[in-house]
Amino acid sequence: MSDEIAPPPPSPLAELSLPVVGMTCASCVNRVERFLNRAEGVEQASVNLASERASVRYDPQRIDRAGIVAAIRAAGYEVGREPEADALADDRAAAEEHSRAAERRELLWSALAAIAIGLTMMAVSMWPGGLPWPMERVNVWLLAPATVVQFVLGRRFLLRAARGLRHGEVTMDTLVSIGTLAAYGYSLVLTLLPEAVMAAGLSLETYYDSAAVIIGLVLLGRWLEARARGQAAGAVAALLRLRPTTARVLRDGREADLPLDQVRVGDLLRVRPGERVPVDGVVVDGRSAVDESMLTGESIPVEKAPGAPLTGGTLNASGSLVMRAERVGRDTVLAQIVRLVEAAQGSKAPIQRVADRVVAWFVPAVLLVAAATFVAWLLLGPEPALPLALSTAIAVLIIACPCAMGLATPTAIMVGTGKGAESGVLVRDAAALEAAAGLEVVVLDKTGTVTRGRPELAGVTPVDGWSEADLLRLAAAAERGSEHPLAEAVVRGHQGGDLPEATAFEAEPGGGVRATVDGCAVLVGSEPLLAAAGVDTTPLRAIAEEAAR
């Protein structure tokens, strides 16, 4: 017998997804990931610029949510507000979309205002034939609007650049801030010290308009990026729309429509024809056909009887059902699908990690190139050397935007996984999406995956002297009162003009319909229904089996 004590088993890892506020480029992503991965207890952290979320796998015995939030704040960024832990997924999606819509509006109006002011200043500076006032007076007039653009409309760049520098980080905001401040600062010297500038042999031509237009164009680019992110995130909203907002709950012998977040496990719910199943559960009473195509891809409804399982978001096609709730809120299958899509949209493809590593060195390299450009033009360029050196250095800073490298791949992943989710195709993560480019064979487990998603009438085989047109006319007239997809296929298959009215219509849940059409008793349905009514289906059995094969 050994006296050694076995080490305790490792604690299971937990996962957390948090919204990160203030990221603008891949350098920001790099910094947040670096601080998170350095935190004790964090196993792996991945930050996505397009979804603006950080996904963290961590040991809950060594670090908690507060510690993870502290690591993000130490990197110089904030964690956005989220609904309470037990809030529904659509509450979170609605809150995020409201916040992003407000940000998009602010970006757009700031961009338009900056561009309008910049173009106006440019028109004044380049007025044909010159202005009737001295240039030093015009520069004083341009100072006020230029200051508004630089420090009010463009304050986001300055604040984020300053925050990054405090933490020893340079980002795209650093490039924009240095470039526009250089143009503004040089112009400010020309405005405040015109005599000294002219004594040095320099022109009084300012760059206020250039700084304003640059800020406006970068803001417009940020708005386009935010708009692309918002459109890509629509897949999750489309999934959430599959779930009703209320449920008809049976309590104390009464029925009441309650918000979905008030439904509890064990509640009895009534699902009427044409309604979506609110939560996951099991049928207690009633029979119906339920359209589960959103889950399985099969267009034919599945017959449900007492004891059959029901999935939230599926559509009750015919009869009324009473169900018992077994999984609600975040535990439903639909909520799990939403989380899967969100995880896929927030995941990183292998190629994106390469781009992130490149961007970590990209911004410092741009600053060095801009500085070398300034010195080279100042020493070797034609006169006036200083304005030319300044303008070329600013051009290097502004044009070298690393945002495309950090944003293009995650946005493409969001759009791809989102479009797939809208079509019923779920992608587990970005690595799987990237690997799909090399696929040569795809195996599908059911025909419903690749068909139109609704049945079509393939043929009519009459017996006992009936014509095909008369048989289809009577069947279509009877089926017109049913919402079953097979009934709709029969009605669409009738091409012979108006249908007569059907009377004494009666639906048999899971079986078919009965009706009277032009004085004829019509029964349309499955073989068990016909057999129960005494109809001999023997002459058609061989034809049916061949069609099924």
Side-chain angles (χ1 to χ4, degrees), residues 115-168:
I115 293 173
I117 293 173
L119 292 178
T120 302
M121 289 192 295
M122 189 176 296
V124 171
S125 302
M126 299 181 178
W127 194 263
L131 294 169
W133 305 283
M135 200 63 196
E136 51 266 31
R137 183 184 299 179
V138 174
N139 288 342
V140 172
W141 294 341
L142 297 179
L143 177 60
T147 303
V148 170
V149 174
Q150 186 71 45
F151 296 103
V152 178
L153 302 180
R155 68 188 182 280
R156 66 179 63 234
F157 304 119
L158 302 174
L159 293 175
R160 290 171 179 172
R163 182 174 57 196
L165 290 175
R166 282 200 307 269
H167 295 90

Short mmCIF file of all heavy atoms in Angstrom, two decimals, residues 115-168:
data_model
loop_
_atom_site.label_atom_id
_atom_site.label_comp_id
_atom_site.label_asym_id
_atom_site.label_seq_id
_atom_site.Cartn_x
_atom_site.Cartn_y
_atom_site.Cartn_z
N ILE A 115 -16.54 65.94 -42.82
CA ILE A 115 -16.30 66.06 -44.26
C ILE A 115 -16.86 67.38 -44.80
O ILE A 115 -16.22 68.06 -45.60
CB ILE A 115 -16.90 64.85 -45.01
CG1 ILE A 115 -16.13 63.57 -44.64
CG2 ILE A 115 -16.86 65.07 -46.51
CD1 ILE A 115 -16.75 62.31 -45.19
N ALA A 116 -18.05 67.75 -44.34
CA ALA A 116 -18.66 69.00 -44.81
C ALA A 116 -17.80 70.21 -44.41
O ALA A 116 -17.56 71.12 -45.21
CB ALA A 116 -20.07 69.14 -44.25
N ILE A 117 -17.34 70.21 -43.15
CA ILE A 117 -16.49 71.31 -42.69
C ILE A 117 -15.17 71.33 -43.45
O ILE A 117 -14.68 72.38 -43.89
CB ILE A 117 -16.25 71.20 -41.17
CG1 ILE A 117 -17.56 71.43 -40.40
CG2 ILE A 117 -15.20 72.21 -40.71
CD1 ILE A 117 -17.45 71.18 -38.91
N GLY A 118 -14.58 70.15 -43.64
CA GLY A 118 -13.31 70.07 -44.36
C GLY A 118 -13.41 70.55 -45.79
O GLY A 118 -12.54 71.28 -46.29
N LEU A 119 -14.47 70.13 -46.49
CA LEU A 119 -14.64 70.56 -47.88
C LEU A 119 -14.90 72.06 -47.98
O LEU A 119 -14.45 72.72 -48.92
CB LEU A 119 -15.79 69.77 -48.53
CG LEU A 119 -15.54 68.27 -48.74
CD1 LEU A 119 -16.77 67.60 -49.34
CD2 LEU A 119 -14.32 68.05 -49.64
N THR A 120 -15.65 72.59 -46.99
CA THR A 120 -15.90 74.04 -46.99
C THR A 120 -14.59 74.80 -46.81
O THR A 120 -14.32 75.79 -47.51
CB THR A 120 -16.89 74.40 -45.87
OG1 THR A 120 -18.10 73.67 -46.05
CG2 THR A 120 -17.18 75.89 -45.88
N MET A 121 -13.75 74.35 -45.85
CA MET A 121 -12.46 75.01 -45.64
C MET A 121 -11.57 74.87 -46.87
O MET A 121 -10.82 75.78 -47.23
CB MET A 121 -11.77 74.42 -44.40
CG MET A 121 -12.45 74.81 -43.09
SD MET A 121 -11.45 74.40 -41.63
CE MET A 121 -11.43 72.61 -41.73
N MET A 122 -11.65 73.71 -47.53
CA MET A 122 -10.85 73.51 -48.74
C MET A 122 -11.29 74.48 -49.85
O MET A 122 -10.45 75.05 -50.56
CB MET A 122 -10.99 72.06 -49.21
CG MET A 122 -10.05 71.66 -50.33
SD MET A 122 -10.22 69.90 -50.74
CE MET A 122 -9.67 69.14 -49.22
N ALA A 123 -12.60 74.68 -49.97
CA ALA A 123 -13.10 75.61 -50.99
C ALA A 123 -12.65 77.03 -50.70
O ALA A 123 -12.29 77.80 -51.61
CB ALA A 123 -14.63 75.53 -51.04
N VAL A 124 -12.65 77.42 -49.41
CA VAL A 124 -12.20 78.77 -49.04
C VAL A 124 -10.72 78.94 -49.35
O VAL A 124 -10.28 79.96 -49.90
CB VAL A 124 -12.49 79.02 -47.55
CG1 VAL A 124 -11.82 80.32 -47.09
CG2 VAL A 124 -13.99 79.08 -47.29
N SER A 125 -9.90 77.90 -49.00
CA SER A 125 -8.46 78.01 -49.21
C SER A 125 -8.09 78.05 -50.69
O SER A 125 -7.08 78.65 -51.07
CB SER A 125 -7.75 76.84 -48.53
OG SER A 125 -8.03 76.82 -47.15
N MET A 126 -8.89 77.40 -51.52
CA MET A 126 -8.54 77.28 -52.94
C MET A 126 -9.49 78.10 -53.82
O MET A 126 -9.72 77.75 -54.97
CB MET A 126 -8.59 75.80 -53.37
CG MET A 126 -7.61 74.92 -52.61
SD MET A 126 -7.68 73.21 -53.17
CE MET A 126 -6.41 72.46 -52.15
N TRP A 127 -10.04 79.16 -53.26
CA TRP A 127 -10.98 79.97 -54.03
C TRP A 127 -10.31 80.54 -55.28
O TRP A 127 -9.22 81.12 -55.20
CB TRP A 127 -11.50 81.12 -53.16
CG TRP A 127 -12.71 81.79 -53.75
CD1 TRP A 127 -12.73 82.93 -54.50
CD2 TRP A 127 -14.04 81.34 -53.63
NE1 TRP A 127 -14.01 83.24 -54.87
CE2 TRP A 127 -14.86 82.27 -54.35
CE3 TRP A 127 -14.66 80.26 -53.01
CZ2 TRP A 127 -16.23 82.13 -54.44
CZ3 TRP A 127 -16.03 80.13 -53.10
CH2 TRP A 127 -16.80 81.06 -53.81
N PRO A 128 -10.93 80.37 -56.48
CA PRO A 128 -10.29 80.84 -57.72
C PRO A 128 -10.01 82.34 -57.67
O PRO A 128 -10.88 83.14 -57.31
CB PRO A 128 -11.34 80.51 -58.79
CG PRO A 128 -12.17 79.42 -58.19
CD PRO A 128 -12.21 79.68 -56.73
N GLY A 129 -8.79 82.70 -57.98
CA GLY A 129 -8.42 84.12 -57.97
C GLY A 129 -8.08 84.67 -56.61
O GLY A 129 -7.70 85.84 -56.49
N GLY A 130 -8.22 83.83 -55.57
CA GLY A 130 -7.88 84.28 -54.22
C GLY A 130 -9.00 85.05 -53.56
O GLY A 130 -9.95 85.50 -54.20
N LEU A 131 -8.92 85.18 -52.24
CA LEU A 131 -9.93 85.88 -51.46
C LEU A 131 -9.54 87.35 -51.28
O LEU A 131 -8.35 87.69 -51.31
CB LEU A 131 -10.09 85.20 -50.09
CG LEU A 131 -10.64 83.77 -50.13
CD1 LEU A 131 -10.51 83.13 -48.77
CD2 LEU A 131 -12.10 83.76 -50.58
N PRO A 132 -10.53 88.23 -51.04
CA PRO A 132 -10.21 89.67 -50.89
C PRO A 132 -9.62 90.01 -49.53
O PRO A 132 -9.37 91.19 -49.26
CB PRO A 132 -11.58 90.33 -51.08
CG PRO A 132 -12.56 89.29 -50.66
CD PRO A 132 -11.97 87.98 -51.06
N TRP A 133 -9.38 89.02 -48.64
CA TRP A 133 -8.81 89.29 -47.32
C TRP A 133 -7.42 88.69 -47.24
O TRP A 133 -7.09 87.72 -47.92
CB TRP A 133 -9.70 88.67 -46.22
CG TRP A 133 -11.12 89.12 -46.31
CD1 TRP A 133 -11.63 90.32 -45.91
CD2 TRP A 133 -12.21 88.38 -46.85
NE1 TRP A 133 -12.96 90.40 -46.15
CE2 TRP A 133 -13.36 89.21 -46.73
CE3 TRP A 133 -12.37 87.12 -47.43
CZ2 TRP A 133 -14.62 88.80 -47.15
CZ3 TRP A 133 -13.60 86.70 -47.84
CH2 TRP A 133 -14.70 87.53 -47.71
N PRO A 134 -6.58 89.20 -46.39
CA PRO A 134 -5.24 88.63 -46.24
C PRO A 134 -5.31 87.21 -45.67
O PRO A 134 -6.21 86.87 -44.91
CB PRO A 134 -4.54 89.60 -45.28
CG PRO A 134 -5.63 90.31 -44.57
CD PRO A 134 -6.77 90.39 -45.54
N MET A 135 -4.33 86.40 -46.02
CA MET A 135 -4.33 84.99 -45.66
C MET A 135 -4.28 84.78 -44.14
O MET A 135 -4.89 83.85 -43.61
CB MET A 135 -3.14 84.28 -46.31
CG MET A 135 -3.31 82.77 -46.40
SD MET A 135 -4.73 82.34 -47.44
CE MET A 135 -4.97 80.62 -46.97
N GLU A 136 -3.56 85.68 -43.44
CA GLU A 136 -3.48 85.50 -41.99
C GLU A 136 -4.84 85.67 -41.33
O GLU A 136 -5.14 85.01 -40.33
CB GLU A 136 -2.46 86.46 -41.37
CG GLU A 136 -2.64 87.91 -41.76
CD GLU A 136 -1.78 88.28 -42.96
OE1 GLU A 136 -1.54 87.39 -43.82
OE2 GLU A 136 -1.33 89.43 -43.03
N ARG A 137 -5.71 86.55 -41.89
CA ARG A 137 -7.06 86.70 -41.34
C ARG A 137 -7.92 85.48 -41.66
O ARG A 137 -8.69 85.02 -40.81
CB ARG A 137 -7.71 87.97 -41.89
CG ARG A 137 -9.09 88.24 -41.28
CD ARG A 137 -9.76 89.44 -41.90
NE ARG A 137 -8.98 90.66 -41.68
CZ ARG A 137 -9.34 91.85 -42.13
NH1 ARG A 137 -10.46 91.97 -42.85
NH2 ARG A 137 -8.59 92.90 -41.90
N VAL A 138 -7.81 84.96 -42.87
CA VAL A 138 -8.57 83.76 -43.26
C VAL A 138 -8.20 82.59 -42.36
O VAL A 138 -9.06 81.81 -41.92
CB VAL A 138 -8.32 83.43 -44.74
CG1 VAL A 138 -8.99 82.10 -45.11
CG2 VAL A 138 -8.82 84.55 -45.64
N ASN A 139 -6.91 82.45 -42.06
CA ASN A 139 -6.48 81.34 -41.20
C ASN A 139 -7.10 81.44 -39.81
O ASN A 139 -7.45 80.42 -39.20
CB ASN A 139 -4.95 81.33 -41.08
CG ASN A 139 -4.29 80.89 -42.37
OD1 ASN A 139 -4.93 80.27 -43.22
ND2 ASN A 139 -3.00 81.20 -42.52
N VAL A 140 -7.24 82.67 -39.29
CA VAL A 140 -7.89 82.85 -37.99
C VAL A 140 -9.34 82.40 -38.06
O VAL A 140 -9.87 81.77 -37.12
CB VAL A 140 -7.79 84.33 -37.53
CG1 VAL A 140 -8.62 84.56 -36.27
CG2 VAL A 140 -6.34 84.69 -37.27
N TRP A 141 -10.03 82.72 -39.16
CA TRP A 141 -11.42 82.28 -39.31
C TRP A 141 -11.53 80.76 -39.39
O TRP A 141 -12.50 80.18 -38.89
CB TRP A 141 -12.02 82.90 -40.58
CG TRP A 141 -12.16 84.40 -40.52
CD1 TRP A 141 -12.17 85.19 -39.41
CD2 TRP A 141 -12.32 85.28 -41.63
NE1 TRP A 141 -12.31 86.51 -39.73
CE2 TRP A 141 -12.41 86.61 -41.10
CE3 TRP A 141 -12.39 85.12 -43.00
CZ2 TRP A 141 -12.56 87.73 -41.90
CZ3 TRP A 141 -12.55 86.24 -43.81
CH2 TRP A 141 -12.63 87.54 -43.26
N LEU A 142 -10.55 80.12 -40.03
CA LEU A 142 -10.60 78.65 -40.18
C LEU A 142 -10.23 77.92 -38.90
O LEU A 142 -10.52 76.72 -38.76
CB LEU A 142 -9.65 78.21 -41.30
CG LEU A 142 -9.95 78.71 -42.72
CD1 LEU A 142 -8.89 78.19 -43.69
CD2 LEU A 142 -11.33 78.26 -43.17
N LEU A 143 -9.61 78.62 -37.96
CA LEU A 143 -9.14 77.95 -36.75
C LEU A 143 -10.27 77.34 -35.94
O LEU A 143 -10.16 76.21 -35.44
CB LEU A 143 -8.34 78.95 -35.90
CG LEU A 143 -7.83 78.41 -34.54
CD1 LEU A 143 -6.91 77.22 -34.75
CD2 LEU A 143 -7.10 79.53 -33.78
N ALA A 144 -11.37 78.07 -35.78
CA ALA A 144 -12.48 77.59 -34.93
C ALA A 144 -13.10 76.29 -35.46
O ALA A 144 -13.17 75.29 -34.73
CB ALA A 144 -13.53 78.68 -34.77
N PRO A 145 -13.55 76.25 -36.75
CA PRO A 145 -14.12 74.97 -37.23
C PRO A 145 -13.09 73.84 -37.24
O PRO A 145 -13.44 72.68 -36.99
CB PRO A 145 -14.61 75.30 -38.64
CG PRO A 145 -13.89 76.55 -39.03
CD PRO A 145 -13.67 77.30 -37.77
N ALA A 146 -11.81 74.17 -37.53
CA ALA A 146 -10.80 73.12 -37.53
C ALA A 146 -10.62 72.55 -36.13
O ALA A 146 -10.43 71.33 -35.96
CB ALA A 146 -9.48 73.68 -38.05
N THR A 147 -10.68 73.41 -35.11
CA THR A 147 -10.55 72.95 -33.73
C THR A 147 -11.72 72.06 -33.33
O THR A 147 -11.55 71.05 -32.63
CB THR A 147 -10.45 74.15 -32.78
OG1 THR A 147 -9.35 74.97 -33.18
CG2 THR A 147 -10.25 73.70 -31.34
N VAL A 148 -12.93 72.41 -33.77
CA VAL A 148 -14.11 71.58 -33.48
C VAL A 148 -13.94 70.19 -34.08
O VAL A 148 -14.21 69.17 -33.42
CB VAL A 148 -15.39 72.27 -34.02
CG1 VAL A 148 -16.58 71.31 -33.96
CG2 VAL A 148 -15.67 73.54 -33.25
N VAL A 149 -13.50 70.11 -35.33
CA VAL A 149 -13.31 68.81 -35.97
C VAL A 149 -12.22 68.01 -35.26
O VAL A 149 -12.39 66.82 -34.95
CB VAL A 149 -12.97 68.97 -37.46
CG1 VAL A 149 -12.63 67.62 -38.08
CG2 VAL A 149 -14.12 69.62 -38.21
N GLN A 150 -11.11 68.66 -34.96
CA GLN A 150 -9.96 67.96 -34.39
C GLN A 150 -10.25 67.42 -32.99
O GLN A 150 -9.92 66.26 -32.68
CB GLN A 150 -8.75 68.90 -34.34
CG GLN A 150 -7.46 68.24 -33.89
CD GLN A 150 -6.92 67.29 -34.93
OE1 GLN A 150 -6.87 67.61 -36.11
NE2 GLN A 150 -6.52 66.10 -34.50
N PHE A 151 -10.87 68.25 -32.13
CA PHE A 151 -10.98 67.88 -30.72
C PHE A 151 -12.39 67.51 -30.26
O PHE A 151 -12.55 67.04 -29.13
CB PHE A 151 -10.45 69.03 -29.85
CG PHE A 151 -8.99 69.31 -30.06
CD1 PHE A 151 -8.59 70.40 -30.82
CD2 PHE A 151 -8.03 68.47 -29.54
CE1 PHE A 151 -7.25 70.66 -31.03
CE2 PHE A 151 -6.68 68.72 -29.74
CZ PHE A 151 -6.28 69.81 -30.49
N VAL A 152 -13.39 67.69 -31.12
CA VAL A 152 -14.75 67.28 -30.77
C VAL A 152 -15.16 66.07 -31.62
O VAL A 152 -15.41 64.99 -31.09
CB VAL A 152 -15.76 68.43 -30.94
CG1 VAL A 152 -17.17 67.96 -30.62
CG2 VAL A 152 -15.37 69.60 -30.02
N LEU A 153 -15.21 66.26 -32.94
CA LEU A 153 -15.60 65.15 -33.81
C LEU A 153 -14.52 64.06 -33.85
O LEU A 153 -14.84 62.88 -33.98
CB LEU A 153 -15.87 65.67 -35.22
CG LEU A 153 -16.96 66.74 -35.34
CD1 LEU A 153 -17.14 67.17 -36.79
CD2 LEU A 153 -18.28 66.24 -34.77
N GLY A 154 -13.26 64.45 -33.71
CA GLY A 154 -12.18 63.47 -33.76
C GLY A 154 -11.64 63.08 -32.40
O GLY A 154 -10.55 62.48 -32.31
N ARG A 155 -12.37 63.40 -31.33
CA ARG A 155 -11.86 63.13 -29.99
C ARG A 155 -11.67 61.64 -29.72
O ARG A 155 -10.80 61.25 -28.93
CB ARG A 155 -12.79 63.72 -28.93
CG ARG A 155 -14.15 63.02 -28.83
CD ARG A 155 -15.10 63.77 -27.90
NE ARG A 155 -16.38 63.09 -27.77
CZ ARG A 155 -17.36 63.16 -28.66
NH1 ARG A 155 -17.19 63.90 -29.75
NH2 ARG A 155 -18.49 62.51 -28.48
N ARG A 156 -12.46 60.78 -30.37
CA ARG A 156 -12.34 59.33 -30.13
C ARG A 156 -10.93 58.85 -30.50
O ARG A 156 -10.37 57.99 -29.82
CB ARG A 156 -13.40 58.56 -30.92
CG ARG A 156 -13.24 58.62 -32.43
CD ARG A 156 -14.30 57.82 -33.15
NE ARG A 156 -15.63 58.34 -32.91
CZ ARG A 156 -16.64 57.61 -32.45
NH1 ARG A 156 -16.46 56.32 -32.22
NH2 ARG A 156 -17.83 58.13 -32.24
N PHE A 157 -10.36 59.40 -31.57
CA PHE A 157 -9.01 58.99 -31.97
C PHE A 157 -7.97 59.44 -30.94
O PHE A 157 -7.07 58.68 -30.57
CB PHE A 157 -8.66 59.56 -33.34
CG PHE A 157 -9.64 59.20 -34.42
CD1 PHE A 157 -10.35 60.19 -35.09
CD2 PHE A 157 -9.86 57.88 -34.77
CE1 PHE A 157 -11.26 59.86 -36.08
CE2 PHE A 157 -10.77 57.55 -35.76
CZ PHE A 157 -11.47 58.54 -36.41
N LEU A 158 -8.12 60.67 -30.47
CA LEU A 158 -7.16 61.21 -29.52
C LEU A 158 -7.22 60.46 -28.19
O LEU A 158 -6.18 60.13 -27.59
CB LEU A 158 -7.41 62.71 -29.30
CG LEU A 158 -7.35 63.59 -30.56
CD1 LEU A 158 -7.75 65.01 -30.24
CD2 LEU A 158 -5.96 63.55 -31.17
N LEU A 159 -8.43 60.22 -27.69
CA LEU A 159 -8.57 59.54 -26.40
C LEU A 159 -8.04 58.11 -26.45
O LEU A 159 -7.33 57.67 -25.54
CB LEU A 159 -10.05 59.54 -25.98
CG LEU A 159 -10.66 60.91 -25.65
CD1 LEU A 159 -12.15 60.78 -25.37
CD2 LEU A 159 -9.95 61.55 -24.46
N ARG A 160 -8.37 57.40 -27.54
CA ARG A 160 -7.90 56.01 -27.63
C ARG A 160 -6.40 55.95 -27.87
O ARG A 160 -5.73 55.04 -27.37
CB ARG A 160 -8.67 55.30 -28.74
CG ARG A 160 -10.13 55.05 -28.39
CD ARG A 160 -10.92 54.54 -29.57
NE ARG A 160 -12.31 54.29 -29.20
CZ ARG A 160 -13.27 53.99 -30.08
NH1 ARG A 160 -12.98 53.89 -31.37
NH2 ARG A 160 -14.50 53.77 -29.66
N ALA A 161 -5.87 56.90 -28.64
CA ALA A 161 -4.42 56.93 -28.84
C ALA A 161 -3.70 57.21 -27.53
O ALA A 161 -2.69 56.57 -27.21
CB ALA A 161 -4.07 57.98 -29.89
N ALA A 162 -4.24 58.16 -26.73
CA ALA A 162 -3.63 58.48 -25.44
C ALA A 162 -3.70 57.29 -24.50
O ALA A 162 -2.74 56.98 -23.78
CB ALA A 162 -4.32 59.69 -24.82
N ARG A 163 -4.83 56.60 -24.50
CA ARG A 163 -4.97 55.41 -23.64
C ARG A 163 -3.99 54.33 -24.06
O ARG A 163 -3.36 53.67 -23.22
CB ARG A 163 -6.40 54.88 -23.73
CG ARG A 163 -6.68 53.69 -22.83
CD ARG A 163 -8.16 53.34 -22.89
NE ARG A 163 -8.59 53.08 -24.25
CZ ARG A 163 -9.86 53.05 -24.66
NH1 ARG A 163 -10.82 53.31 -23.79
NH2 ARG A 163 -10.17 52.78 -25.90
N GLY A 164 -3.81 54.16 -25.36
CA GLY A 164 -2.86 53.16 -25.83
C GLY A 164 -1.43 53.51 -25.47
O GLY A 164 -0.65 52.65 -25.04
N LEU A 165 -1.08 54.78 -25.59
CA LEU A 165 0.29 55.19 -25.27
C LEU A 165 0.58 55.03 -23.78
O LEU A 165 1.71 54.73 -23.39
CB LEU A 165 0.50 56.65 -25.69
CG LEU A 165 0.54 56.90 -27.21
CD1 LEU A 165 0.63 58.39 -27.51
CD2 LEU A 165 1.71 56.15 -27.83
N ARG A 166 -0.45 55.25 -22.94
CA ARG A 166 -0.25 55.05 -21.50
C ARG A 166 0.12 53.60 -21.19
O ARG A 166 0.79 53.32 -20.21
CB ARG A 166 -1.52 55.43 -20.73
CG ARG A 166 -1.73 56.90 -20.54
CD ARG A 166 -2.68 57.19 -19.39
NE ARG A 166 -3.94 56.47 -19.52
CZ ARG A 166 -5.01 56.95 -20.13
NH1 ARG A 166 -4.96 58.15 -20.70
NH2 ARG A 166 -6.12 56.26 -20.20
N HIS A 167 -0.35 52.69 -22.06
CA HIS A 167 -0.06 51.28 -21.86
C HIS A 167 1.04 50.78 -22.80
O HIS A 167 1.21 49.59 -22.98
CB HIS A 167 -1.33 50.44 -22.07
CG HIS A 167 -2.40 50.71 -21.06
ND1 HIS A 167 -3.36 51.68 -21.24
CD2 HIS A 167 -2.66 50.16 -19.84
CE1 HIS A 167 -4.17 51.71 -20.20
NE2 HIS A 167 -3.77 50.80 -19.34
N GLY A 168 1.74 51.73 -23.42
CA GLY A 168 2.83 51.35 -24.31
C GLY A 168 2.39 50.68 -25.59
O GLY A 168 3.09 49.84 -26.14
#
